[in-house]
Coordinates of all heavy atoms in Angstrom, one line a residue:
L163 N 34.2 20.4 22.6 CA 34.2 19.5 23.7 C 32.8 18.9 24.0 O 32.6 17.8 24.5 CB 34.7 20.2 25.0 CG 36.2 20.3 25.1 CD1 36.5 21.2 26.3 CD2 36.9 19.0 25.3
S164 N 31.8 19.7 23.6 CA 30.4 19.3 23.9 C 29.9 18.1 23.1 O 29.0 17.4 23.6 CB 29.4 20.5 23.6 OG 29.3 20.6 22.2
G165 N 30.4 17.9 22.0 CA 30.0 16.8 21.1 C 28.8 17.1 20.3 O 28.3 16.3 19.5
A166 N 28.2 18.3 20.5 CA 27.1 18.8 19.7 C 27.5 19.1 18.3 O 28.6 19.3 18.0 CB 26.4 20.0 20.3
K167 N 26.5 19.1 17.4 CA 26.7 19.5 16.0 C 27.0 21.0 16.0 O 26.3 21.8 16.6 CB 25.5 19.2 15.1 CG 25.7 19.6 13.7 CD 24.4 19.3 12.9 CE 24.6 19.8 11.4 NZ 23.4 19.6 10.6
I168 N 28.1 21.4 15.3 CA 28.5 22.8 15.3 C 28.2 23.4 13.9 O 28.7 22.8 12.9 CB 30.0 23.0 15.6 CG1 30.3 22.4 17.0 CG2 30.3 24.4 15.5 CD1 31.7 22.3 17.3
E169 N 27.4 24.4 13.8 CA 27.2 25.1 12.6 C 27.8 26.5 12.7 O 27.5 27.3 13.6 CB 25.7 25.2 12.2 CG 25.1 23.9 12.0 CD 23.7 24.0 11.4 OE1 23.5 24.9 10.5 OE2 22.8 23.2 11.7
I170 N 28.7 26.9 11.8 CA 29.4 28.2 11.9 C 28.7 29.1 10.9 O 28.5 28.8 9.7 CB 30.9 28.0 11.5 CG1 31.6 27.1 12.5 CG2 31.6 29.4 11.4 CD1 33.0 26.8 12.1
Y171 N 28.3 30.3 11.4 CA 27.6 31.3 10.5 C 28.6 32.4 10.3 O 29.5 32.7 11.1 CB 26.3 31.8 11.1 CG 26.4 32.5 12.5 CD1 26.5 33.9 12.6 CD2 26.2 31.8 13.7 CE1 26.6 34.5 13.8 CE2 26.3 32.4 14.9 CZ 26.4 33.8 14.9 OH 26.5 34.4 16.2
S172 N 28.4 33.1 9.1 CA 29.3 34.2 8.7 C 29.3 35.3 9.8 O 28.2 35.5 10.4 CB 28.9 34.7 7.4 OG 28.9 33.7 6.4
H173 N 30.4 35.9 9.9 CA 30.6 36.9 11.0 C 29.4 37.9 11.0 O 29.2 38.6 10.1 CB 31.9 37.6 10.8 CG 32.1 38.7 11.9 ND1 32.0 38.5 13.2 CD2 32.4 40.0 11.7 CE1 32.2 39.6 13.9 NE2 32.5 40.5 13.0
A174 N 28.7 37.9 12.2 CA 27.6 38.9 12.5 C 26.5 38.8 11.5 O 25.7 39.8 11.3 CB 28.2 40.3 12.5
D175 N 26.4 37.7 10.7 CA 25.4 37.6 9.7 C 24.1 36.9 10.3 O 24.0 35.7 10.3 CB 25.9 36.7 8.5 CG 25.0 36.7 7.3 OD1 23.8 37.0 7.5 OD2 25.5 36.3 6.2
T176 N 23.2 37.7 10.7 CA 22.0 37.2 11.4 C 21.0 36.5 10.4 O 20.2 35.7 10.8 CB 21.3 38.3 12.2 OG1 21.0 39.4 11.3 CG2 22.1 38.7 13.3
T177 N 21.1 36.9 9.1 CA 20.3 36.2 8.1 C 20.7 34.8 8.0 O 19.9 33.8 7.9 CB 20.4 36.9 6.7 OG1 20.0 38.3 6.9 CG2 19.6 36.2 5.7
H178 N 22.1 34.6 7.9 CA 22.6 33.2 7.9 C 22.2 32.4 9.1 O 21.8 31.3 9.0 CB 24.2 33.3 7.7 CG 24.9 32.0 7.5 ND1 26.2 32.0 7.4 CD2 24.4 30.8 7.5 CE1 26.6 30.7 7.2 NE2 25.5 29.9 7.3
L179 N 22.4 33.1 10.3 CA 22.0 32.4 11.5 C 20.5 32.1 11.6 O 20.2 31.0 12.0 CB 22.4 33.3 12.7 CG 21.9 32.8 14.1 CD1 22.6 31.5 14.4 CD2 22.3 33.9 15.2
A180 N 19.7 33.0 11.2 CA 18.2 32.7 11.2 C 17.9 31.5 10.4 O 17.1 30.6 10.8 CB 17.5 33.9 10.7
F181 N 18.5 31.4 9.2 CA 18.2 30.2 8.3 C 18.7 28.9 9.0 O 18.0 27.9 9.0 CB 18.9 30.4 7.0 CG 18.7 29.2 6.1 CD1 17.6 29.1 5.3 CD2 19.8 28.3 5.9 CE1 17.4 28.0 4.5 CE2 19.6 27.2 5.1 CZ 18.4 27.0 4.4
A182 N 19.9 29.0 9.6 CA 20.4 27.8 10.3 C 19.5 27.4 11.5 O 19.2 26.2 11.7 CB 21.8 28.1 10.8
L183 N 19.0 28.3 12.2 CA 18.1 28.0 13.4 C 16.8 27.4 12.9 O 16.3 26.5 13.4 CB 17.9 29.3 14.2 CG 19.0 29.7 15.1 CD1 18.8 31.1 15.7 CD2 19.2 28.7 16.3
E184 N 16.3 28.0 11.8 CA 15.0 27.6 11.3 C 15.1 26.2 10.7 O 14.1 25.4 10.8 CB 14.5 28.6 10.2 CG 14.0 29.9 10.7 CD 13.9 31.0 9.7 OE1 14.1 30.6 8.5 OE2 13.7 32.1 10.0
S185 N 16.3 25.8 10.2 CA 16.5 24.5 9.6 C 16.8 23.4 10.6 O 16.7 22.2 10.2 CB 17.6 24.6 8.5 OG 17.3 25.6 7.6
S186 N 17.1 23.8 11.8 CA 17.6 22.8 12.8 C 16.4 22.1 13.4 O 15.4 22.7 13.8 CB 18.4 23.5 13.8 OG 18.8 22.6 14.9
T187 N 16.6 20.8 13.6 CA 15.6 20.0 14.4 C 16.1 19.5 15.7 O 15.6 18.6 16.3 CB 15.2 18.8 13.5 OG1 16.3 18.0 13.2 CG2 14.5 19.2 12.2
A188 N 17.3 20.1 16.1 CA 17.9 19.6 17.3 C 17.0 20.0 18.5 O 16.4 21.0 18.6 CB 19.3 20.3 17.5
P189 N 17.0 19.1 19.5 CA 16.2 19.4 20.7 C 16.6 20.6 21.5 O 15.8 21.3 22.1 CB 16.2 18.1 21.5 CG 17.5 17.4 21.0 CD 17.7 17.8 19.6
R190 N 17.9 20.7 21.6 CA 18.5 21.9 22.3 C 19.4 22.7 21.4 O 20.2 22.1 20.7 CB 19.2 21.4 23.6 CG 18.3 20.9 24.6 CD 19.1 20.6 25.9 NE 20.0 19.4 25.8 CZ 20.7 18.9 26.7 NH1 20.6 19.4 28.0 NH2 21.4 17.9 26.5
K191 N 19.3 24.0 21.4 CA 20.0 24.9 20.5 C 20.8 25.9 21.4 O 20.2 26.4 22.3 CB 19.1 25.6 19.5 CG 18.3 24.6 18.7 CD 17.4 25.4 17.7 CE 16.4 24.5 17.0 NZ 15.4 23.9 17.8
L192 N 22.0 26.2 21.0 CA 22.8 27.1 21.7 C 23.6 28.0 20.7 O 24.3 27.5 19.8 CB 23.8 26.4 22.6 CG 24.9 27.3 23.2 CD1 24.3 28.3 24.2 CD2 26.0 26.4 24.0
V193 N 23.3 29.3 20.7 CA 24.1 30.3 19.9 C 25.2 30.8 20.8 O 25.0 31.2 21.9 CB 23.2 31.4 19.4 CG1 24.0 32.5 18.6 CG2 22.0 30.9 18.5
I194 N 26.4 30.8 20.2 CA 27.6 31.3 21.0 C 28.2 32.5 20.2 O 28.4 32.4 19.0 CB 28.6 30.2 21.3 CG1 29.1 29.5 20.1 CG2 28.0 29.2 22.3 CD1 30.2 28.5 20.4
S195 N 28.5 33.5 20.9 CA 29.1 34.7 20.3 C 29.9 35.6 21.2 O 29.5 35.8 22.4 CB 28.0 35.5 19.6 OG 28.6 36.7 19.0
D196 N 31.0 36.1 20.8 CA 31.6 37.2 21.5 C 30.6 38.4 21.5 O 29.8 38.5 20.5 CB 32.9 37.7 20.8 CG 34.1 36.8 21.0 OD1 33.9 35.6 21.3 OD2 35.2 37.3 20.8
A197 N 30.6 39.2 22.5 CA 29.8 40.4 22.5 C 30.6 41.5 21.8 O 30.0 42.2 20.9 CB 29.4 40.8 23.9
V198 N 31.8 41.7 22.2 CA 32.8 42.6 21.5 C 33.9 41.6 21.0 O 34.5 40.9 21.8 CB 33.4 43.6 22.4 CG1 34.5 44.4 21.6 CG2 32.3 44.6 22.9
F199 N 34.1 41.6 19.7 CA 35.1 40.6 19.1 C 36.5 41.0 19.4 O 36.9 42.1 19.2 CB 34.8 40.4 17.6 CG 33.5 39.6 17.4 CD1 32.3 40.2 17.3 CD2 33.6 38.2 17.3 CE1 31.1 39.5 17.1 CE2 32.4 37.5 17.1 CZ 31.2 38.1 17.0
S200 N 37.3 40.0 19.9 CA 38.6 40.3 20.5 C 39.6 40.8 19.5 O 40.6 41.5 19.9 CB 39.1 39.1 21.2 OG 39.2 38.0 20.4
M201 N 39.5 40.4 18.3 CA 40.5 40.8 17.3 C 40.0 41.9 16.3 O 40.7 42.4 15.5 CB 41.0 39.6 16.5 CG 41.7 38.6 17.4 SD 43.2 39.4 18.1 CE 43.3 38.5 19.6
E202 N 38.7 42.1 16.3 CA 38.1 43.1 15.4 C 37.7 44.4 16.1 O 37.7 45.5 15.6 CB 36.9 42.5 14.6 CG 37.2 41.6 13.5 CD 37.8 40.3 13.9 OE1 37.4 39.8 15.0 OE2 38.6 39.8 13.2
G203 N 37.2 44.2 17.4 CA 36.7 45.3 18.2 C 35.3 45.7 17.9 O 34.8 46.7 18.4
D204 N 34.6 45.0 17.0 CA 33.2 45.4 16.7 C 32.2 44.6 17.6 O 32.5 43.6 18.2 CB 32.9 45.1 15.2 CG 33.1 43.6 14.9 OD1 33.9 42.9 15.5 OD2 32.4 43.1 13.9
F205 N 31.0 45.2 17.7 CA 30.0 44.6 18.5 C 29.3 43.5 17.7 O 29.1 43.6 16.5 CB 28.9 45.6 18.9 CG 29.3 46.5 20.0 CD1 29.7 47.8 19.7 CD2 29.3 46.1 21.3 CE1 30.1 48.7 20.7 CE2 29.6 47.0 22.3 CZ 30.0 48.3 22.0
A206 N 28.9 42.4 18.4 CA 28.0 41.5 17.8 C 26.6 42.1 17.6 O 26.3 43.1 18.4 CB 27.9 40.2 18.7
P207 N 25.8 41.7 16.7 CA 24.4 42.2 16.6 C 23.5 41.6 17.7 O 22.7 40.8 17.5 CB 24.0 41.7 15.2 CG 24.8 40.4 15.0 CD 26.1 40.6 15.7
V208 N 23.8 42.1 18.9 CA 23.3 41.4 20.1 C 21.8 41.4 20.1 O 21.1 40.4 20.5 CB 23.9 42.1 21.4 CG1 23.3 41.4 22.6 CG2 25.4 42.0 21.4
A209 N 21.1 42.6 19.8 CA 19.7 42.6 19.8 C 19.0 41.6 18.9 O 18.1 40.9 19.3 CB 19.2 44.0 19.4
K210 N 19.6 41.4 17.7 CA 19.0 40.4 16.8 C 19.3 39.0 17.3 O 18.5 38.1 17.1 CB 19.7 40.7 15.4 CG 19.0 39.8 14.3 CD 17.5 40.1 14.1 CE 17.0 39.3 13.0 NZ 15.5 39.6 12.8
L211 N 20.5 38.8 17.9 CA 20.8 37.5 18.4 C 19.8 37.1 19.5 O 19.3 36.0 19.6 CB 22.2 37.5 19.0 CG 23.4 37.6 18.0 CD1 24.7 37.5 18.8 CD2 23.3 36.6 16.9
V212 N 19.5 38.1 20.4 CA 18.5 37.8 21.5 C 17.1 37.5 20.8 O 16.5 36.5 21.2 CB 18.4 39.0 22.4 CG1 17.2 38.8 23.4 CG2 19.7 39.1 23.2
E213 N 16.8 38.3 19.9 CA 15.4 38.1 19.2 C 15.4 36.7 18.6 O 14.4 36.0 18.8 CB 15.2 39.1 18.2 CG 13.9 39.0 17.4 CD 13.9 39.8 16.1 OE1 14.5 40.9 16.1 OE2 13.3 39.4 15.1
L214 N 16.4 36.3 17.9 CA 16.4 35.0 17.2 C 16.4 33.8 18.2 O 15.7 32.8 18.1 CB 17.6 34.8 16.3 CG 17.6 35.7 15.0 CD1 18.9 35.6 14.3 CD2 16.5 35.2 14.1
C215 N 17.1 34.0 19.3 CA 17.1 32.9 20.3 C 15.8 32.8 21.0 O 15.4 31.7 21.4 CB 18.3 33.2 21.3 SG 19.9 32.9 20.6
E216 N 15.1 33.9 21.3 CA 13.8 33.9 21.9 C 12.8 33.2 21.0 O 11.9 32.4 21.4 CB 13.4 35.3 22.3 CG 14.2 35.8 23.5 CD 13.8 37.2 23.9 OE1 13.1 37.9 23.1 OE2 14.1 37.6 25.1
R217 N 12.9 33.6 19.7 CA 12.0 33.0 18.7 C 12.1 31.5 18.5 O 11.2 30.8 18.4 CB 12.2 33.7 17.4 CG 11.1 33.3 16.3 CD 11.5 33.8 14.9 NE 11.9 35.2 14.9 CZ 12.5 35.8 13.8 NH1 12.8 35.0 12.8 NH2 12.9 37.0 13.9
H218 N 13.4 31.0 18.6 CA 13.6 29.6 18.3 C 13.9 28.8 19.6 O 14.4 27.7 19.5 CB 14.8 29.5 17.3 CG 14.5 30.0 16.0 ND1 13.7 29.4 15.0 CD2 14.8 31.2 15.4 CE1 13.6 30.1 14.0 NE2 14.3 31.3 14.2

Side-chain angles (χ1 to χ4, degrees):
L163 284 171
S164 73
K167 179 183 178 182
I168 302 170
E169 297 195 37
I170 299 173
Y171 61 92
S172 301
H173 177 53
D175 187 340
T176 54
T177 301
H178 186 179
L179 174 60
F181 178 78
L183 284 167
E184 288 164 5
S185 303
S186 176
T187 59
R190 290 186 291 184
K191 304 178 185 69
L192 172 65
V193 176
I194 58 177
S195 179
D196 285 22
V198 174
F199 287 88
S200 60
M201 295 300 151
E202 281 71 33
D204 58 333
F205 284 102
V208 181
K210 187 64 176 178
L211 295 181
V212 169
E213 176 195 329
L214 287 172
C215 287
E216 289 180 344
R217 185 193 311 168
H218 295 282

